[in-house]
Amino acid sequence: MVSNTEVRSARPGGPPPRYRKRQVLAWASWDWGSAAFNAVMTTFVFTVYLTSESFGGEDHASSVLGYGIALAGVAVAVLAPVMGQRSDAGGRRRLWLGINTALVCLVTALCFFVFPRPEFLLLGVALIALGNVFSEFAGVNYNAMLSQISTPATVGRVSGFGWGMGYVGGVAALALVLAGFINPDVGWFGVTSEDALNIRAVALFAAVWLAVFALPVLFAVPEVPRQERAASLGFLASYGLLFRRVKAIYKTSPHTIWFLLASAVFRDGLAAVFTFGGIIAGGTFGWSLSEVIVFAIVGNVVAAVGAVAGGFFDDRAGPKKVIVFSLVGLLVSGGVIALFGAGEQSLFGLQWSGDTTFWIFGLLLCLFVGPAQSASRAFLARLAPAGEEAELFGLYATTGRAVSFLAPTMFAVFITIFGAQRYGILGILLVLLAGLLVLLPVQAPGKAPRAVVPEV
């Protein structure tokens, strides 16, 4: 077993320890596995099924799903910071990563019992919402491991590699789902489309996929040391410690707090792009589930390229420039989709269909999401003082989930106001714009002082 002291002993520019490559691969394997929940369940397959006519109509079901995910975000905002703090203080970061991943697998498998009838809508939304909660809890511990397996000189590339693995994992999972369950009249294990059995079986496939690929990180990356004083705090007392630390961080590095706030807003918009992207393709543009999955496969390849390229530029130009460029690209691409919609277009003598609009600008959305996500994680890793990374990533999750209701709520509200699913895009773009405006005054790592996190 490798100690944290050994991991932190590497210096920027020096050769990484031999064991770290193995750890990076094992760590990124969790991202690969989590694509089964992120891409298959919450973006391109199960939520598209859940917002179909079988559950009361796309507008109604989309609105209910939006509010359900918003409630999940509120739950994470209240619980995630202390859950992350206590797992680190008790030396149980890896343990709780495993437990929460197992819970995601469980609720994903239970989606098998969501039959295509309106009375099962609330069950499906509740399971997806719970999956989001447990996935975020797992993500707190997973992101905190970034500092254990990278150096300051490679954190951007490692973060980008992790996101890239997640997207490629999504491609692999979606391709298998399409070939084994969606396209054939009789799929694997004799599954047919009767009573949506093929879609419900996808939930079981996704649960197994995540379980298998989440295992390597639990064996390859060492546990963190136990912090005796912090570990002895009660659950409610942990909130008091959290508030004291936030106050101290603001005094020593206010730009860290402003980045946490800015990233909370734009990360919520980034998550919504993928959460509701497949739903918009199916509802607004009238695509079949097979067409949505084909787009998802191509989109994930594009997103993986964007994430890896973003990590490369992150280590050279800095994460803030990567994030700003990506957010501007997202606003332009999403704005075109919202403006043109699914109708036929003619501009400067060129004519194209709504499908062409979504293919071009939807793929551009995918291209810009990856770098923004990866660079945001690397930005905070560069601000964190050695040995205190997990505390800041706990705050990263806290601030993220404190506003995680924004994009789903704005998506649902704009649908409610205008009476059509298409206008939910505008709500997501508004959230991305707000995050960009808060980010612009924030100093980049290297210019901003590092945060100081006080002891208990």
Side-chain angles (χ1 to χ4, degrees):
M1 195 67 73
V2 181
S3 71
N4 286 332
T5 302
E6 291 174 294
V7 171
R8 292 186 181 117
S9 64
R11 292 290 181 266
R18 292 181 181 178
Y19 60 76
R20 186 162 295 159
K21 292 183 179 179
R22 175 176 61 86
Q23 289 184 338
V24 168
L25 289 173
W27 177 78
S29 177
W30 188 90
D31 248 326
W32 175 287
S34 68
F37 182 76
N38 297 327
V40 175
M41 297 300 294
T42 67
T43 305
F44 295 113
V45 181
F46 197 80
T47 51
V48 175
Y49 161 67
L50 199 59
T51 53
S52 66
E53 291 296 328
S54 299
F55 292 93
E58 64 192 33
D59 294 335
H60 168 69
S62 295
S63 181
V64 173
L65 178 63
Y67 287 120
I69 294 175
L71 287 175
V74 172
V76 172
V78 173
L79 297 173
V82 168
M83 295 289 285
Q85 178 195 105
R86 293 176 67 81
S87 68
D88 287 341
R92 296 175 179 174
R93 181 186 298 172
R94 185 175 60 182
L95 172 65
W96 282 106
L97 172 60
I99 290 174
N100 285 300
T101 300
L103 290 172
V104 177
C105 293
L106 175 61
V107 297
T108 298
L110 289 175
C111 287
F112 177 79
F113 299 102
V114 179
F115 293 89
R117 292 185 281 279
E119 58 267 30
F120 285 91
L121 174 62
L122 289 181
L123 173 62
V125 170
L127 290 173
I128 291 296
L130 282 173
N132 272 278
V133 171
F134 296 132
S135 180
E136 286 293 334
F137 288 169
V140 170
N141 296 288
Y142 174 76
N143 287 336
M145 288 180 173
L146 177 59
S147 61
Q148 295 177 248
I149 60 170
S150 65
T151 69
T154 63
V155 63
R157 277 169 284 175
V158 172
S159 181
F161 177 69
W163 279 109
M165 283 284 283
Y167 290 127
V168 176
V171 170
L174 287 167
L176 291 174
V177 163
L178 187 64
F181 298 101
I182 305 300
N183 273 351
D185 292 331
V186 179
W188 294 339
F189 312 109
V191 168
T192 67
S193 61
E194 184 177 355
D195 213 17
L197 178 60
N198 59 336
I199 305 298
R200 294 186 292 116
V202 166
L204 298 178
F205 168 85
V208 172
W209 180 278
L210 173 56
V212 169
F213 290 105
L215 287 175
V217 69
L218 303 179
F219 292 97
V221 180
E223 190 58 275
V224 293
R226 177 182 173 88
Q227 303 170 20
E228 294 296 337
R229 293 179 64 192
S232 65
L233 287 176
F235 189 82
L236 294 179
S238 296
Y239 282 98
L241 174 60
L242 176 70
F243 294 139
R244 292 194 299 275
R245 286 180 166 173
V246 170
K247 183 178 179 180
I249 291 170
Y250 185 77
K251 287 183 178 180
T252 58
S253 181
H255 284 274
T256 298
I257 297 298
W258 282 110
F259 172 73
L260 288 170
L261 295 175
S263 71
V265 177
F266 70 69
R267 282 185 290 128
D268 191 43
L270 296 174
V273 169
F274 272 102
T275 299
F276 297 108
I279 294 170
I280 291 170
T284 299
F285 289 83
W287 288 11
S288 67
L289 184 56
S290 295
E291 290 174 318
V292 172
I293 294 176
V294 169
F295 176 85
I297 290 172
V298 179
N300 273 266
V301 171
V302 171
V305 171
V308 174
F312 176 84
F313 288 111
D314 182 322
D315 286 333
R316 285 157 179 78
K320 182 179 177 180
K321 291 180 180 179
V322 172
I323 296 171
V324 170
F325 180 80
S326 299
L327 291 179
V328 171
L330 284 162
L331 289 171
V332 172
S333 303
V336 172
I337 293 175
L339 177 64
F340 290 162
E344 298 285 333
Q345 302 297 328
S346 178
L347 187 66
F348 301 120
L350 298 176
Q351 293 184 334
W352 66 91
S353 65
D355 286 354
T356 301
T357 297
F358 196 82
W359 267 105
I360 293 174
F361 294 96
L363 289 180
L364 283 175
L365 285 174
C366 296
L367 180 67
F368 291 122
V369 165
Q373 290 173 322
S374 172
S376 179
R377 180 165 62 185
F379 192 116
L380 188 62
R382 286 186 168 91
L383 289 176
E388 306 291 352
E389 300 89 353
E391 184 68 32
L392 283 187
F393 273 110
L395 291 172
Y396 187 70
T398 305
T399 52
R401 285 304 138 185
V403 300
S404 63
F405 62 89
L406 278 178
T409 300
M410 294 301 292
F411 179 80
V413 166
F414 270 68
I415 292 174
T416 302
I417 292 174
F418 294 103
Q421 185 192 65
R422 167 188 173 185
Y423 296 101
I425 303 171
L426 297 177
I428 297 172
L429 294 180
L430 190 60
V431 173
L432 288 171
L433 177 61
L436 174 60
L437 293 177
V438 178
L439 175 67
L440 288 176
V442 176
Q443 291 182 354
K447 296 181 180 179
R450 284 183 176 269
V452 176
V453 180
E455 298 295 331
V456 179

